[in-house]
Amino acid sequence: MINKRIAVIGIPGKWSTDVLANHLEQRTGYRCVVDMADVVLELETGQLRYQDTLLNALDGVIIKKISEDYSPAADDRLRMLSNLEADGVRCFSSPHQVSRLINRLEGTAALAAGGVPLPPTRVTESTAAALEAIQAFGKAILKPLYSTKARGMVVLKAADGEKANTQKLEKFKAKHGLFYLQQFVNLGGQDLGMVFLGGEYLCTYARVSDGKAWNTTIHSGGKYQPYDASPELIELGRKAQACFDLSFTTVDIALTDEGPVVFEVSAFGGFSGAKKGCGIDAAEKLGDHVLSQLETEAATAEAG
């Protein structure tokens, strides 16, 4: 066994959290799943405690899931974890890099700055400007800045008229504040999840719609299938994930008539798609990657 103590930041009882913790326990003999709702940060010392465990004394933590839902509160949890990184505890991925992807605007702005093709996107607080964008796009997706699996997204059509769209926009604004609008992209019934581990390509799976929803998410009835990505497509995914420094991630790509576009890079990546779509145990591979990184760093420090 490898003598390392690594905690999994996740949701106790969730499959993706438990499968990763199980693998680490098999390799190290140590198991610790941390629910951030019960973590205490001592600001005067920078120490984080979870029940009887001092997280600062661990060899590392893997951030598998920061909360059930994305929200500003999830970003606060990441700021707490940044104290671990400052204290020398290796975090996979870095809390700062994960934080850049919790907020949809910051994540896609980084992709745009990196020259990654995206659907045409408009961000505004103005209802009038939002209506103009809907008119220009013909059909748009209104997205909350904090959401996953297409939750809270609204399809808006110019053909529905200004009055109907104004009502939908105002209702959305009352809850979310800012309008983030993307031109509706015809997915052709599927989109792709491209998986990267430590910056290296692992596999690609397709999410195929059941035909009952506009999106392909598993949450809305989609199914995973294998997909043989071309070298050019893999290079696009590599370029997108390289805008961030993540230990494990999934790049969401759509194939459109105008060419492939990237929707987003996942803050955490998913194990289920790799398992069901590609037959790859990504949890095992991530665990092994983390252990290898820690052992290499320890050997380098000892030699130096």
Side-chain angles (χ1 to χ4, degrees):
M1 284 193 176
I2 298 174
N3 186 27
K4 296 291 182 186
R5 296 200 308 154
I6 304 164
V8 176
I9 309 296
I11 310 297
K14 288 289 186 178
W15 174 79
S16 60
T17 296
D18 285 346
V19 72
L20 180 56
N22 291 343
H23 177 68
L24 290 170
E25 185 177 15
Q26 290 171 2
R27 295 294 308 278
T28 68
Y30 180 80
R31 180 188 180 89
C32 180
V33 173
V34 176
D35 183 345
M36 285 299 297
D38 294 324
V39 171
V40 177
L41 167 63
E42 299 173 358
L43 277 176
E44 65 275 17
T45 64
Q47 292 187 335
L48 277 80
R49 296 186 181 276
Y50 175 67
Q51 299 175 352
D52 296 330
T53 301
L54 175 61
L55 301 185
N56 303 63
L58 299 177
D59 296 294
V61 300
I62 303 177
I63 307 175
K64 182 61 197 84
K65 198 73 173 174
I66 200 67
S67 66
E68 286 280 11
D69 302 301
Y70 287 5
S71 69
D75 204 29
D76 293 338
R77 291 180 172 185
L78 289 164
R79 292 178 188 277
M80 291 172 66
L81 287 175
S82 67
N83 285 269
L84 286 184
E85 197 170 43
D87 201 25
V89 179
R90 282 287 270 121
C91 297
F92 303 88
S93 299
S94 165
H96 170 67
Q97 296 297 328
V98 174
S99 180
R100 296 174 66 201
L101 289 162
I102 291 293
N103 181 297
R104 178 170 276 109
L105 175 56
E106 184 171 357
T108 48
L111 292 172
V116 175
L118 305 167
T121 305
R122 302 290 181 269
V123 183
T124 182
E125 293 183 38
S126 167
T127 300
L131 287 168
E132 290 177 6
I134 296 166
Q135 193 64 36
F137 291 161
K139 191 175 182 181
I141 305 295
L142 179 59
K143 302 182 177 182
L145 293 190
Y146 298 95
S147 74
T148 59
K149 299 179 176 62
R151 293 186 182 98
M153 296 185 184
V154 181
V155 179
L156 299 172
K157 304 174 185 177
D160 288 342
E162 183 175 316
K163 182 178 179 181
N165 284 328
T166 297
Q167 290 175 344
K168 293 177 182 178
L169 287 168
E170 291 299 331
K171 181 179 179 180
F172 183 93
K173 187 173 184 177
K175 184 175 181 179
H176 300 288
L178 195 70
F179 299 128
Y180 177 106
L181 289 149
Q182 280 191 330
Q183 187 172 42
F184 187 92
V185 174
N186 183 7
L187 300 177
Q190 73 170 16
D191 69 345
L192 308 177
M194 190 172 289
V195 186
F196 289 85
L197 175 64
E200 297 300 320
Y201 174 72
L202 197 60
C203 67
T204 301
Y205 57 84
R207 284 177 295 251
V208 181
S209 171
D210 66 355
K212 298 178 182 179
W214 63 266
N215 65 79
T216 63
T217 64
I218 305 306
H219 178 71
S220 297
K223 302 296 182 183
Y224 293 119
Q225 291 184 6
Y227 186 88
D228 185 16
S230 68
E232 294 78 14
L233 202 59
I234 293 172
E235 195 53 40
L236 172 60
R238 193 185 309 278
K239 181 178 182 179
Q241 63 87 37
C243 294
F244 312 92
D245 184 13
L246 299 166
S247 303
F248 179 77
T249 189
T250 303
V251 182
D252 289 346
I253 300 175
L255 305 178
T256 75
D257 293 339
E258 291 74 35
V261 294
V262 173
F263 282 137
E264 64 182 16
V265 175
S266 170
F268 308 104
F271 295 156
S272 187
K275 184 75 170 178
K276 296 177 181 178
C278 308
I280 291 177
D281 190 338
E284 180 179 358
K285 289 187 176 296
L286 175 57
D288 288 347
H289 170 76
V290 167
L291 289 169
S292 176
Q293 289 279 302
L294 289 173
E295 290 205 302
T296 298
E297 291 167 8
T300 301
E302 187 175 335

